[in-house]
Amino acid sequence: EILKLETAVAAHVDGKFDDAEVLYRKILADEPENGEALHLMGMLCFQQNRPDEAVDHYNRAIASNPAIAKYHGNLGTVLITLRRNDEAAVHLEQALSLDPSLAEIQNSLGAVRRDTGRTDDALAAFREAVRIDPAYTQAHANLAAMLLARGNLPEALNSARAAVAADPNDLDARNILAAALAESGFRDDAEKELRFALELAPDDRETLKNLDY
């Protein structure tokens, strides 16, 4: 079974989703509670825009072994896309209780908390995400946007600059840095950031809107 799972994973990684699914299903026919096969099948379903099936497989993986962080984390991610934020938060928090070092899960939890109005908790999660991974562009950008919304301009600028430093080609980071610069009175610098972003993606609506095009 280990060899069969390795073959399925190889097909999955190569983008041969149909082949991978056939193999995962064969494994699960023999071992219905194979947690790793259930988890991987959940990933495959999510990649193929079948989120409800992904949720079912992740739940079954968790039932087979509740102590694996990635099972909870990936289920939480799918639940976010289904706008089931309360359920998502439960599983994201469970993932972090099992493995606090998961920066992506901290960032996802921050997004859930932000979207449900728990801004202090969201800030704490984003801060923890960038503490764990100082080069995590999205988490820096999320933190910068929240700080900017709160009027904490110096820290927002620092976070936005950290986001751009981590990935100079990230459009969201460039736009948030431009917004922080503009709010801080550095309008020429803000325009430079937006024009750089426009060079990266000439048709990006957010950048064009921010430039008043």
Side-chain angles (χ1 to χ4, degrees), residues 17-169:
F17 291 163
D18 290 344
D19 293 344
E21 181 164 350
V22 167
L23 290 168
Y24 289 145
R25 290 194 183 282
K26 284 182 179 178
I27 294 166
L28 291 170
D30 294 334
E31 297 181 71
E33 297 181 2
N34 184 315
E36 195 59 21
L38 287 164
H39 171 250
L40 290 163
M41 187 66 189
M43 290 178 64
L44 182 65
C45 290
F46 188 49
Q47 287 173 302
Q48 293 188 305
N49 197 29
R50 294 152 55 191
D52 291 323
E53 289 180 69
V55 168
D56 177 58
H57 283 92
Y58 284 140
N59 274 323
R60 288 169 59 195
I62 289 168
S64 76
N65 190 341
I68 296 184
K70 65 183 177 181
Y71 295 176
H72 292 279
N74 284 338
L75 175 56
T77 299
V78 179
L79 290 168
I80 290 171
T81 68
L82 294 171
R83 299 185 180 181
R84 292 161 60 178
N85 285 337
D86 289 343
E87 293 172 75
V90 169
H91 286 285
L92 295 173
E93 289 178 336
Q94 182 63 24
L96 291 169
S97 74
L98 293 164
D99 184 355
S101 70
L102 299 171
E104 286 189 18
I105 301 303
Q106 287 285 1
N107 184 61
S108 295
L109 182 60
V112 169
R113 294 310 189 201
R114 176 195 63 205
D115 294 345
T116 53
R118 293 177 56 176
T119 55
D120 287 343
D121 291 337
L123 276 172
F126 291 140
R127 289 188 198 280
E128 182 62 11
V130 299
R131 186 195 68 77
I132 295 167
D133 183 0
Y136 193 172
T137 302
Q138 186 184 7
H140 279 296
N142 284 335
L143 178 57
M146 286 207 71
L147 291 166
L148 184 60
R150 285 193 163 196
N152 187 340
L153 297 180
E155 197 175 353
L157 263 177
N158 286 339
S159 294
R161 285 183 171 131
V164 169
D167 184 357
N169 295 326

Side-chain angles (χ1 to χ4, degrees), residues 148 153 178-187:
L148 184 60
L153 297 180
L181 286 165
E183 288 290 325
S184 301
F186 304 115
R187 297 199 172 273

